[in-house]
Each structure stands twice: as C-alpha cells, then as structure tokens.
Amino acid sequence: MDWIMDNRVELINIAYLIAAVCFIVGLKLLSSPATARRGNQIAALGMAIAVVATLFMPGMQNIWLILVGLVIGAVLATFPARSVKMTAMPQMVAIFNGMGGATAALVSLVEFQHRANVGRGEIVSIVLGLIIGSISFAGSMIAFGKLQELISGRAISYPNQRQVNAIIGVAVVALGILLVVLGQAGVSYLLIVVLFLTALVLGAAVVLPIGGADMPVVIAVLNSMTGVAAALTGFVLNNQALIIAGILVGASGAFLTLLMARAMNRSVSNVLFGAWGAAAVGAGSAAAGAAPELPMREATPEDAAVPLAYAEKVIIVPGYGLAVAQAQHAVRELAETLQDRGVNVRYAIHPVAGRMPGHMNVLLAEANVPYDELFEMEQINEDFANTDVAIVVGANDVTNPAARDDPGSPIYGMPILNVDQAKQVYVLKRGRGAGFAGIENMLFHDAKTAMLFGDAKESLSKLNSAVRDA
Amino acid sequence: MLAPIPGFLFFLMQVTTDSLQTTLSDNATVLLLTVYVLLLAIFLGFELIGRVPATLHTPLMSGTNAIHGIVVLGAMIILGSIEGSSLTDTVLKILAFIAVVLGSANVFGGFVVTDRMLEMFKRKPVARKSPGAGGQ
C-alpha cells in the first residue's frame, strides 16, 4: 500500500498510457462495422481508467465535489442519450461536443485566474484553448438549435455579415495577442473574460449563416476543434493523457471532415464561409418570387400502387424527410409487402443522406432493414437505368439532376443518385417547397415523375395498403 | 496489429522525458519530445480512420466526440487544485465544478450515443426470409 502511495504519480502515468492505448485500439476497431461496438467500449474503458487514476493525483482537493460533478454530468447526459430517438442523434453529438468545448474553455479560464506565475508558453496554450473551446461550444449550440429546428435551418444572413464576422474574428485575435503580451497583469483577469465572451459570439456568428444541410460538416469541424482545445489544456496542465487523446481526436476529426466534405464534393472552406449558402438562398427566393411555378404531376397512393406491385425492380431512395417523419419502419413494411409479391427491392443510400453520413444506415438498421438491401451510391447508381420504379422518400438535393447536368447550378458537381434514369419515379414529399439548399429540383417536374405530397409515414402506409389491394 | 507500437513509443518517450528532465532540466528537450508525441498522435489520428466506410462516419464522429471528453480530467485537476474559500476562489470553484459536470456529460453522453448507434449495426441473426431473392 505504501509502495502504491509512494509511486502514485508513476502509476497514474501508466494508467494514462493504458488509456491512450485503449483510445487508439478503440478508434481502430471503430473503423470497421463488425468491431465498431467493441471499439467504442474499449475507448470507454480507457476513459474510465483515466478518470479514476486522476482522482488519486497527489494533493487533490474537493474530491467529493468532483465526484458529485461527475455523477451529475453522467446522469444529465445518459438519460437523454438513451431515450432520444435515432433521428435526433446528430443534434445529440452536437450538444455533447459543445459541452466538451465549454469544459476546455472553462478549464483555461479558471487556470489563468487561479494559478500564479503562469509561463508565457502556457498563456499561449490557455488563450488558444479558451478561444477554440468557446467557438466549439457556441458553434455546437447553434448547430444543435438548427438541427432541432429551434432556429431556422436556413442560412441566416444579414447585410455586411462577412465584415461583421471578420471584425469579431480580428477582435478575438487581438485580445488573444494582447493577453499573451500582458501576461497575468491586473487588467488581464478582466480581459480574458472579455475574450471568452467575444469568442463565444464568434462561434455563434460563424455557424449561423451556414445552412442546416451542411451541419454534419460543421459538427465534424467543431468536434475536431474540441479535440485540439482538450490537447491545449493538456499542455497547460502538463497532462499527457489530455494531449494524446485530444490530438488524436483533432487529427482524426480533421480527416473525417475532409472525407465528409469530399462526399458532398465541397471544400471545407466553402462550407464554413458560406459563399454557397448565401448565394443559393438569394437565388432560391428570387426564383420563387419571379418564375412561375413549374408543373408537378400529383398522384394518389392508388395510382402509384399498381406500377409498384407489378414492377420487377424497385429502388427506394431515403432522405432526410424519412428521418423527420420517423418513417423508417413504414418504409420497411412497404418493402416487405413488395418483396412478398416477388419484387426485388433495394435501398440506394447517398453518402450524405439524412443529416450525417451513415445516419440513414443507422435509421434503417433500427427498423430491421437487412444490411444487404442497403447499397451505397457507387454500387447502385448504374442500376437505376434498368429499374422499373424508384421511390424517393423525403430526399431532394441528392437526386437533383442539375448537380450532374447544369454547370450553372450551385450544387453542380455534387455526386447524385441517378434517380431520373429510372423508368418511373414517385416522390414522397412533405410539401412543394425547395430542398435545404433552396434549389429547384427538375426531377420533380419530369414527365415520368409523380408526387405524393404529405407526411412520409402516412404516405408510405397508404401506399402499403394500396399495394396490398392491387 | 500496429496499434500498440505508438503507445509503446509514447511510453519510451515519457521515460526519456523524465530522465532528461532530471539530468538536463533542459526545456528545449522536453519541448522537442512533446512535439514528437504531437506529431505521432497527429499521424496516428489520420492513419487510424483512413479507410472508414461512409456508413461509419457518424458513429466514428460520435466516438471521437466521446474521446475528447478526456478534457474532463483537466476540469477535475483544476477543481482539485482550488483550496481557498475567498469570494474569487468560490467563483472559480463553481466554474470548475460546472466544467466537471459538462465534461462528464460529454464523456457519458458521447459513449452512450455511440453505443446506441452501433447497437444497430449488429447483423440480424435471422435474415428475414431470403433477402435479395425477390426478382424472379
């Protein structure tokens, strides 16, 4: 026992080392579907080891307060994380990411105020950790608000927005530099609070003008940033576990961001600095005002049921609308009815279907859709041409042929599903409005396309019973 | 299984750091070793998720989201370092306490959400009828 107490700093460091290995192995396992769940559990084990080890650090005060804090956080988070619907997962990731950012910011803030004689290098880390953590927190909260539809998912813009954002950005940088130069002078203790608040404003201001459809990329960026902020606090506290884990997340998060942006054929800077979002909204509203509404052919479930029931091959294209309407079970039931009649039914999943890459797979898996009926875009895109009926459920921009054919379209170049090549297309849609990007979808005006307006879940179950009767 | 090797390197470096710190007390060397750790971790972060299928992007993001909850350690250490009971100390204690709560929420929420996503990925034991046998 004495030996343990004598060597506890070393033992804690070994525990941190084990934790770091757990994170690395966990991340490795997380990158394959078969082992992903175990990977997450191993990472969680690593976290548990690191947290428990930290409790035994020499000279720790307020142990009970720490324990109470940990328990409150655990209870507050675990309950919603368990009970939230699968469709709301992206906003849960956003909110938990924001909490991590806030933690990093608060740690930096308190460290600066509390510890005397902080070195210059550490002040750099503190200032950066504070800025990045605050931006991550405020940005994540806005992203959460947009995904939860507490605030408009549309790109929010106002005159001179870029200039205003630039001014806030410059203010943050200037305050940061000033703090590094001043060190812990009397006025610094106030300045750092001002910096904290300004960085919060900056985070919110940067994310506000970004459209809801781009939130996955935004969350990926903020996730990576929180990792970096955590690593920065690690430098300040000279804690290797924080440095390793934080950087690991920062790097993998950055890479993941690139992968996601690539799936949308967008550059990250394009997403973040919103040239596209603003232009599209402008064009969209202008078009809605000026151009006469293009014709859309409307169909009843009964109209659609016959071609479906007698089709040989059907491809279902699920989109965000399916997620919103919680229609994943209804779509599976329709697919089963069709399969019972001998129809070959497959699902075409666009890389950014839903609100995040892979979101749609999760939703459909939840509804017990067999894994091997789900096809990624590259696997199935050729087959649309010999498909009898394509059913688009609440997807819009990812089916827009303009992305393939019209160089003038803001989404030109984004890979799309070639739904327009199917022999017949039924689009289940909530209303007549344009998609997230605010861009007219010519697929909806195609002669072989018919629209079923209404709640996706209702439309699907009506369609299902109509197919049964057909 | 390459995964443990960087961990081992990290361990070696920490041992070296400690011995150097005592013998040289040379800040530059420590900084250099920290940069080592940093570079390896960056490289590892990129490498680990290099070939992830798009299907796993969301769970992976959620998983890394949970891992950066490690920042809760920082909050714990800070709260553990505040002794006094002056007004300033009390305010700082409250802030640090909030940080612990939020950090803990990041950790627990992150891992639970990821687990729930991945729960869906288990292969169904009974392949409903024979999928794909539709067609003819």
Side-chain angles (χ1 to χ4, degrees), chain B residues 42-88:
Chain B
I42 292 174
F43 177 70
L44 203 58
F46 277 109
E47 202 57 22
L48 279 173
I49 64 151
R51 283 170 295 278
V52 185
T55 319
L56 280 175
H57 282 175
T58 299
L60 192 66
M61 183 175 7
S62 180
T64 54
N65 177 33
I67 291 175
H68 69 48
I70 188 83
V71 69
V72 74
L73 299 196
M76 291 166 66
I77 294 169
I78 289 278
L79 181 53
S81 72
I82 303 174
E83 274 176 87
S85 53
S86 67
L87 179 63
T88 322

Side-chain angles (χ1 to χ4, degrees), chain A residues 300-322:
Chain A
T300 65
E302 288 71 26
D303 297 335
V306 177
L308 272 175
Y310 295 96
E312 206 174 300
K313 287 182 175 174
V314 169
I315 296 180
I316 298 173
V317 180
Y320 182 65
L322 177 135

Side-chain angles (χ1 to χ4, degrees), chain B residues 52-125:
Chain B
V52 185
T55 319
L56 280 175
H57 282 175
T58 299
L60 192 66
M61 183 175 7
S62 180
T64 54
N65 177 33
I67 291 175
H68 69 48
I70 188 83
V71 69
V72 74
L73 299 196
M76 291 166 66
I77 294 169
I78 289 278
L79 181 53
S81 72
I82 303 174
E83 274 176 87
S85 53
S86 67
L87 179 63
T88 322
D89 283 334
T90 309
V91 171
L92 292 181
K93 236 186 241 184
I94 291 171
L95 288 178
F97 179 75
I98 294 173
V100 171
V101 172
L102 293 178
S104 163
N106 182 183
V107 169
F108 279 90
F111 282 119
V112 171
V113 162
T114 314
D115 192 63
R116 274 194 62 201
M117 285 183 192
L118 293 171
E119 209 174 29
M120 308 297 170
F121 277 82
K122 58 177 181 269
R123 280 191 175 276
K124 305 294 170 235

Side-chain angles (χ1 to χ4, degrees), chain A residues 41-75:
Chain A
Q41 286 159 355
I42 289 176
L45 177 70
M47 189 65 74
I49 292 172
V51 168
V52 171
T54 306
L55 287 172
F56 290 97
M57 275 207 164
M60 283 287 264
Q61 310 286 321
N62 307 319
I63 285 287
W64 285 107
L65 208 52
I66 292 173
L67 286 174
V68 169
L70 289 173
V71 170
I72 292 178
V75 172

Side-chain angles (χ1 to χ4, degrees), chain A residues 99-338:
Chain A
M99 290 177 172
T103 308
L106 286 174
V107 169
S108 305
L109 186 66
V110 175
E111 180 74 355
F112 187 86
Q113 307 275 10
H114 178 63
R115 207 172 78 191
N117 303 320
V118 181
R120 187 124 309 169
E122 286 166 322
I123 293 187
V124 174
S125 293
I126 286 178
V127 166
L128 285 175
L130 180 71
I131 294 174
I132 298 176
S134 312
I135 292 178
S136 180
F137 169 66
S140 299
M141 290 305 119
I142 300 289
F144 170 81
K146 287 197 175 222
L147 290 168
Q148 190 73 23
E149 299 187 352
L150 297 174
I151 47 181
S152 165
R154 295 260 167 189
I156 294 170
S157 50
Y158 48 86
N160 300 328
Q161 188 167 27
R162 279 178 175 225
Q163 287 80 343
V164 172
N165 285 359
I167 290 169
I168 305 173
V170 169
V172 166
V173 173
L175 279 168
I177 293 174
L178 193 60
L179 269 169
V180 174
V181 173
L182 285 177
Q184 285 176 303
V187 68
S188 302
Y189 296 100
L190 183 65
L191 272 184
I192 197 164
V193 177
V194 178
L195 175 62
F196 177 47
L197 299 176
T198 320
L200 286 178
V201 175
L202 181 64
V206 167
V207 176
L208 262 181
I210 303 174
D214 284 330
M215 281 306 130
V217 181
V218 173
I219 295 172
V221 172
L222 296 175
N223 181 39
S224 174
M225 285 174 66
T226 309
V228 175
L232 285 164
T233 59
F235 285 125
V236 179
L237 300 169
N238 195 17
N239 184 308
Q240 303 288 355
L242 275 174
I243 298 177
I244 290 279
I247 289 296
L248 214 53
V249 174
S252 61
F255 195 69
L256 197 56
T257 311
L258 292 177
L259 288 179
M260 287 169 132
R262 201 181 300 160
M264 296 198 284
N265 197 31
R266 306 268 310 278
S267 73
V268 177
S269 62
N270 184 328
V271 171
L272 292 184
F273 302 110
W276 186 64
V281 165
S285 51
E293 217 163 277
L294 287 156
M296 286 190 197
R297 189 157 61 92
E298 215 172 315
T300 65
E302 288 71 26
D303 297 335
V306 177
L308 272 175
Y310 295 96
E312 206 174 300
K313 287 182 175 174
V314 169
I315 296 180
I316 298 173
V317 180
Y320 182 65
L322 177 135
V324 173
Q326 305 273 332
Q328 61 270 37
H329 294 276
V331 81
R332 195 243 316 149
E333 283 159 19
L334 173 65
E336 282 177 9
T337 310
L338 289 170

